[in-house]
Amino acid sequence: MAIMSFIFVFFFFSSLQPILSLYEDQVGLMDWHQQYIGKVKQAVFHTHKTGRKRVVASTEQNIIATLDLRSGEIFWRHVLGPNDVVDGIDIALGKYVITLSSGGSILRAWNLPDGQMVWESSLHGPKHSKSLLLTTNLIIEKDNALIVFSNGRLNAVSCIDGEVLWKKDFEEESLEVQQVIQPPGSDFIYVVGFAASSQFEMYKINAKNGELLKHESTAFSGRFSGEVSLVSSETVVALDSTGSILLTISFHKGKISSQQTPVSNLLEDSPGLAVIIHSSVTGIFAIKTDAATIFIRVIGEGKLEVVEKTNHETVVSDALSISEGQQAFALVQHAGSNIHLTVKPVHDWDSNLLKESIKMDQQRGFVHKVFINNYIRTDRSHGFRALIVMEDHSLLLLQQGAIVWSREDGLASIIDVTTSELPVEKAGVSVAKVELNLFEWLKGHVLKLKGTLMLATPEDIAAIQYMRLKSSEKSKMTRDHNGFRKLLIALTRAGKLFALHTGDGRIVWSHLLQSLHKSESCRQPIGLNLHQWQVPHHHALDENPSVLVVGRCGPSSDALGVLSLVDSYTGKEFSSLRLVHSVAQVIPLPYTDSTEQRLHLLIDADKHAHLYPKTPEAIDIFQSEFSNVYWYSVDDDNGIIKGYALKTKCSGNVADEFCFDSTELWSIVLPSESEKIITTATRKLNEAVHTQAKLIADQDVMYKYISSNLLFVATVAPKASGEIGSVTPEESWLVVYLIDTVTGRVLHRMTHHGSQGPVQAVLSENWVVYHYFNLRAHRYEMSVIEIYDQSRADNKDVWKLVVGNHNLTSPVSSYSRAEVITKSQSYFFTHSLKAIAVTLTVKGITSKQLLIGTIGDQVLALDKRFLDPRRSVNPTQAEREEGIIPLTDSLPIIPQSYITHSLRVEGLQSIITVAAKLESTTLVFAHGLDLFFTHYAPSRTYDSLTEDFSYALLLITIVALVAAIFVTWILSQRKELQDRWR
């Protein structure tokens, strides 16, 4: 029997091992993390024969990064501060990445292979000005020098250590420097620009010591407009303020000469307003009009000649030196679903070095920028590759007529996110249809068994990982019973929608919205937010869900609005509307029609309410609930909060039965000399409250004040609205309010003296948590306020509450003050916050968790019990049994509580939480420059098995155990019989 027990225990623990290992693997597979760099605005290739080929890029999101030229993967990147805007980049000495940023005030050198900073120089000057970086072969006292113009000062800086070798100030207040030029092989520098917008200025500077050699100026009758285009080392082209006259200015040998040419002379038809396209192609420049793009050659003494005119959208690259004395540039033109890439030599427009046509996804929009690089083919001819930036902010590398790789860097600028359920798995479409055959099935389980017993080779481990990814349930395009598989619908700043699968983060579809595309009627479209438009269930399951995209044609709140309706499964934009009114606020209503379309109110700048969808059924539903609709507005600038109700249908010349006037019910005017609104917060519409009563230690019942109309407002002293430390503690205070937006009652008001923003807040159930800075203590703090309903304090029949007969409603009157009590507490917290959210669950008794986006771009989970205002230094035994934690002055940071683990979500902006169907489980999506997704279960999934749990292996293990028990029993009987015969 001892042998049988030993074998049984051995097999038991052997069967546990694969379960534990599979659980550990599943934890790793639950998370996905994607890195992006944003929209590229400058790029420099580094393709030396030694080392890996790469491209250095700077982006609109203030990122410096190097990408692998073969795959597009990030070698390294640095995220600069929000005010540290990159003005210029280049490569010096073949090993340093040079960056000029922060308005030309900071010059840095980074080590090209690993991104380590080599040196940093501060460049200050007498005034603010344009920033220009010029990398030359200039050698000063054995040092390779960089030429930098910034802050009204010209600097020569050493490439080796960043030391300023010489500097020259340009203090004339009206001078606007446009270009810094060093003619090839010369030891002097031209600095050219405008003075008072009507005078051209030229300075000739000694490149060795910064000495002024010559200064010339010429006045013009008109005024200059925009920037100048450099067409040679001694010639520039500019437009006048009307955009109708081209000015060709030459400063050969320090003497200024100019010639004026009307744009109408170059075109037969009226061109409209012209704009110069920035490029650095010698002898040629381009202008863009409303009708066409014109390429013009500068010949003779400022004479202009049109070499080509095209009606297609055209982008021009800078000139590229391909051999000694020979330069080339690229043109990219759109033609239907294709783009045409043409590379031409600078001095011969009629010949082409390369001409290719590449099929391009129309959902990427137009090409915005192009950067080219050359290489030598095996036949010693020149080959070219092009890096293009698209309208949707994506980045693509083109070579030999094909797309080598692409990056969806538009996802680095997400504006808003919502979720959509996947379709239900239909009857007859089961997993069995895609299962492997029997041989592969057995082979897979054998490999897993070898991995469990640590007998697997590296090839076996790779095969196991491949099989798990291939057969993983989490990447299917159907719903799962736990609610883990969903679509994340993200709207980006470029006006593009992406659908991301929560299982592995892949892009299911993407769509560039036509409603947010620049047009004659909408010059500056801006996406605002996303809302769930149609969520089919019950009788409407055959309908696809859809989302509502809201935008407007300009940054101001009175700009006309635009709407798009997009199918969540396919990405098809099946409806697009140009509104005749503005969109200042969008209110999703808790009502749906027979097709499960949710009703929405769009509030315009004049406080008119417009109902959508505009259908007879929708208006009937809305009119039945007409008297129950309230909303509020917050005017941050003037410190005014107002509440509204619907009045009558809009009065005006145009009858619109879906438009309603509003009436002001109440207003709160904060004193502008002492308070400025900086933060507001409300409850999530989809938040579920599992219990409205709280049983405390003395067996008493406290009823939560649960209201979807609760508004949290935080204000600071006007002087304290700047950066932390800009005022003294005596000049700063933080005031918080809890306001009922139906009645306008201030339910609670609290002042934190000596405190300052920024404030991050989250409102959930009956409590609000907010984060701010305490100037007196020189530390960050987090405070909590819980609000309870005293109007039901005498109604404590627990049995009625349990069986559901408890009256959870009470009459509300605007003339009676709400009977509430509040409890609050403040704690020190060591981190600055970027975002804060709260876990959401469909069901379960797990306590709430705060998800905190730290200054280190990580997400920290903090148990709400640490922010219980009832915490005390010495809690009673009953309070300890209730779960009250002893009071400490600071909140703990537990390293294991970082749900991002060792990963960082660079530029973290927001944390989105969605309830899963599995008890006490939340789906967490954090986005900024990077994307991160995970499942979070504070109580662990102790009551469920993971998605990739091997039921077959469990069955085999049980069968093996039964067989082993039977065999050992027979062997034991035989041995016992033999012992008796002896």
Side-chain angles (χ1 to χ4, degrees), residues 101-123:
S101 62
S102 195
S105 298
I106 301 177
L107 185 68
R108 298 183 180 97
W110 314 84
N111 193 31
L112 182 60
D114 57 13
Q116 295 295 318
M117 189 167 68
V118 180
W119 52 259
E120 177 181 293
S121 292
S122 296
L123 304 177

Side-chain angles (χ1 to χ4, degrees), residues 856-911:
D857 292 322
Q858 292 185 296
V859 180
L860 173 71
L862 182 66
D863 197 321
K864 169 59 176 62
R865 292 184 302 160
F866 286 111
L867 284 154
D868 191 331
R870 296 172 54 235
R871 287 177 65 186
S872 60
V873 177
N874 296 308
T876 64
Q877 182 61 31
E879 288 176 333
R880 290 180 183 273
E881 292 175 357
E882 183 189 344
I884 300 294
I885 301 172
L887 178 65
T888 56
D889 62 346
S890 61
L891 297 172
I893 295 180
I894 305 170
Q896 294 80 3
S897 297
Y898 284 99
I899 67 172
T900 48
H901 313 299
S902 61
L903 302 173
R904 296 182 61 183
V905 186
E906 291 285 0
L908 179 63
Q909 292 182 349
S910 180
I911 302 171

Side-chain angles (χ1 to χ4, degrees), residues 44-48 50-52 54 56 64 66 76 90-99 108-119 135 143-144 146 158-161:
V44 181
F45 289 88
H46 181 266
T47 55
H48 288 187
T50 58
R52 302 182 69 174
R54 61 187 76 201
V56 182
I64 306 295
T66 60
W76 57 262
D90 211 331
I91 296 177
L93 304 180
K95 60 180 179 179
Y96 295 147
V97 176
I98 306 297
T99 63
R108 298 183 180 97
W110 314 84
N111 193 31
L112 182 60
D114 57 13
Q116 295 295 318
M117 189 167 68
V118 180
W119 52 259
T135 304
D143 272 351
N144 292 80
L146 301 166
S158 170
C159 291
I160 305 300
D161 55 11

Side-chain angles (χ1 to χ4, degrees), residues 123-135:
L123 304 177
H124 300 289
K127 64 175 185 177
H128 178 72
S129 68
K130 185 177 181 179
S131 301
L132 300 167
L133 173 64
L134 181 64
T135 304

Side-chain angles (χ1 to χ4, degrees), residues 250-263:
S250 176
F251 38 91
H252 181 63
K253 294 183 179 180
K255 294 183 179 181
I256 299 176
S257 61
S258 63
Q259 183 166 331
Q260 300 184 25
T261 306
V263 176

